[in-house]
């Protein structure tokens, strides 16, 4: 699991709040799922403009 701080403004998620997120690849896009929202990013750099990764858990 990844916990990341949302720093975007395009939906009802609170900017500055930490959310558990799930990531996967779909074709050449990075898909991020959080709550009922799915975001698609063309690159890791685009993802990092809207999210700040706080912690990564393995298990």
């Amino acid at each position: 699991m990844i916990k990341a701080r949302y720093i975007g403004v395009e939906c009802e998620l609170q900017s500055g709040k930490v959310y558990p997120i799930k990531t996967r690849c779909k074709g050449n896009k990075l898909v991020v799922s959080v709550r009922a929202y799915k975001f698609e990013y063309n690159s890791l750099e685009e993802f990092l403009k809207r999210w700040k990764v706080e912690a990564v858990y393995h298990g």
Side-chain angles (χ1 to χ4, degrees), residues 4-11 13-19 39 41 45-54:
R5 184 172 309 277
Y6 182 65
I7 50 179
V9 293
E10 27 321 295
C11 67
L13 296 176
Q14 293 178 5
S15 185
K17 184 172 179 183
V18 175
Y19 293 96
F39 304 98
Y41 300 105
E45 290 81 14
E46 187 181 347
F47 163 76
L48 292 173
K49 288 180 184 176
R50 294 183 174 75
W51 294 93
K52 180 180 178 200
V53 175
E54 298 283 328

